[in-house]
Amino acid sequence: ETGVTQTPRHLVMGMTNKKSLKCEQHLGHNAMYWYKQSAKKPLELMFVYNFKEQTENNSVPSRFSPECPNSSHLFLHLHTLQPEDSALYLCASSQDLGTEAFFGQGTRLTVV
Amino acid sequence: GEDVEQSLFLSVREGDSSVINCTYTDSSSTYLYWYKQEPGAGLQLLTYIFSNMDMKQDQRLTVLLNKKDKHLSLRIADTQTGDSAIYFCAEIGYSTSNTGKLIFGQGTTLQVKP
């Protein structure tokens, strides 16, 4: 248990569905991240939030829409996804940018 | 840009030592990390080393850093079947941006045979 909780753990959605991934941390961290982990590819940083403000968007398609209402919660809203978006989506938090990150268990997403 | 490279696979026998290697390109890296990912789970921080150190030991784990060659290694002594996992090397560097983002290698799958 790292203190970072992600829900749901598994999600199967159709290409026309809209769903959201949730991440929560009560570690008092100021920075939160979304990563995508696909088979046989390096971890891809998607979004970075620092003090609720988005500081990085790594050319992520607009069908992925992050939301950070406060420093403890981070969402990833999904709509009209493609099968190649199937992956493990990992949330992480760190005390500040540039310090060690603590990861959630991930959400295994399958797009059918 | 920053890049972190690891070999993809390592197989050892239970009780042997495992050495997982990593090279990185960002000479301004401040901290370097090793993460472990067990099947179906997220990444767990194992250990880290600050860039002004060349060695850190933590129980069965030894981290060696050769800053001149930009080479990092993780040695696991007396490897157990429970050590079977994917091990990620990561760095935080500031050479191209000030976001201090964590750059990961591809991960090394460690297989421990009984």
Side-chain angles (χ1 to χ4, degrees), chain A residues 2 9 33 35 37 41-43 45 55-56 58 88 90 97-106, chain B residues 30-31 33 35 37 40-45 48 88 92 94 97-102 104-106:
Chain A
T2 63
R9 292 292 310 275
Y33 313 81
Y35 283 86
Q37 187 178 29
K41 289 176 73 175
L43 275 164
L45 179 63
T55 60
E56 188 147 347
N58 269 352
L88 181 67
L90 291 162
L97 291 177
T99 59
E100 67 263 30
F102 295 84
F103 284 79
Q105 298 281 66
Chain B
T30 52
Y31 285 94
Y33 300 89
Y35 283 84
Q37 185 179 32
L43 276 66
Q44 171 197 355
L45 179 64
Y48 65 91
F88 290 90
I92 292 180
Y94 296 85
S97 75
N98 284 326
T99 59
K101 61 185 180 184
L102 208 54
F104 285 88
Q106 312 95 306

Side-chain angles (χ1 to χ4, degrees), chain A residues 21-93:
Chain A
L21 310 185
K22 181 182 176 183
C23 177
E24 190 171 351
Q25 58 92 6
H26 295 290
L27 301 169
H29 288 173
N30 299 314
M32 294 188 79
Y33 313 81
W34 279 117
Y35 283 86
K36 177 183 178 183
Q37 187 178 29
S38 306
K40 300 179 183 176
K41 289 176 73 175
L43 275 164
E44 300 172 59
L45 179 63
M46 299 174 72
F47 301 104
V48 180
Y49 278 82
N50 192 35
F51 291 100
K52 303 188 300 177
E53 299 297 320
Q54 188 180 123
T55 60
E56 188 147 347
N57 174 342
N58 269 352
S59 304
V60 181
S62 59
R63 57 187 184 270
F64 295 91
S65 173
E67 179 191 0
C68 189
N70 54 61
S71 292
S72 300
H73 293 87
L74 185 65
F75 295 89
L76 187 62
H77 303 301
L78 315 170
H79 64 98
T80 60
L81 294 193
Q82 305 297 312
E84 60 264 28
D85 296 322
S86 299
L88 181 67
Y89 288 85
L90 291 162
C91 172
S93 71

Side-chain angles (χ1 to χ4, degrees), chain B residues 18 22-23 30 89 104:
Chain B
S18 307
C22 169
T23 57
T30 52
C89 167
F104 285 88

Side-chain angles (χ1 to χ4, degrees), chain B residues 16-95:
Chain B
D16 288 350
S17 292
S18 307
V19 180
I20 302 171
N21 294 302
C22 169
T23 57
Y24 60 97
T25 56
D26 185 355
S27 57
S28 66
S29 288
T30 52
Y31 285 94
L32 295 123
Y33 300 89
W34 284 104
Y35 283 84
K36 176 183 180 184
Q37 185 179 32
E38 294 179 356
L43 276 66
Q44 171 197 355
L45 179 64
L46 268 185
T47 186
Y48 65 91
I49 189 166
F50 189 52
S51 57
N52 69 352
M53 299 168 66
D54 50 24
M55 186 182 93
K56 180 178 179 181
Q57 186 147 4
D58 183 0
Q59 299 182 326
R60 291 192 297 121
L61 305 178
T62 304
V63 180
L64 294 177
L65 174 61
N66 181 328
K67 201 171 178 184
K68 174 175 166 287
D69 294 339
K70 297 178 193 167
H71 182 267
L72 183 73
S73 67
L74 174 70
R75 179 176 179 270
I76 306 172
D78 186 26
T79 314
Q80 304 297 307
T81 53
D83 295 323
S84 294
I86 304 174
Y87 290 81
F88 290 90
C89 167
E91 63 163 351
I92 292 180
Y94 296 85
S95 64

